[in-house]
Amino acid sequence: DIQFAIEIRNALCHCGGRVSSDYVGLQKKTNWKPVVLEGLIQIQPSDIHHIFSIIRDRVKELIKASLKHPKIAYEGNQGGNNA
């Protein structure tokens, strides 16, 4: 899904939202199906929610993995707010 999200971003930013062959290929590999009207990607609130969920989950994994690194874990536990 993250590669598909990147392709959607590229289509919106560089191709006026037009569907590309890369978009079609990546869409076949995911259950996520943004609306396409007349060859243009239509971003809906549910798409934003889906992208946010992908990013949130990836960030959680990154933080969890980074806290296992001795230097990051040590510096992260030096007083301060543990929020």
Side-chain angles (χ1 to χ4, degrees), residues 3-62:
Q3 285 303 122
F4 189 44
I6 291 168
E7 177 57 31
I8 290 171
R9 180 252 174 223
N10 289 341
L12 294 170
C13 292
H14 303 294
C15 302
R18 288 184 298 280
V19 172
S20 66
S21 59
D22 289 341
Y23 175 96
V24 172
L26 289 168
Q27 186 183 38
K28 291 178 182 178
K29 298 176 184 179
T30 182
N31 292 326
W32 176 28
K33 308 292 185 214
V35 174
V36 175
L37 295 174
E38 298 179 9
L40 296 175
I41 303 165
Q42 308 294 311
I43 298 298
Q44 307 294 314
S46 60
D47 298 319
I48 301 301
H49 183 272
H50 185 74
I51 292 168
F52 178 78
S53 296
I54 293 168
I55 294 169
R56 180 191 61 222
D57 294 344
R58 294 283 176 124
V59 168
K60 284 181 182 179
E61 289 177 28
L62 180 62

Side-chain angles (χ1 to χ4, degrees), residues 59-70 72:
V59 168
K60 284 181 182 179
E61 289 177 28
L62 180 62
I63 291 170
K64 191 175 182 180
S66 67
L67 288 175
K68 291 179 182 177
H69 188 282
I72 293 172

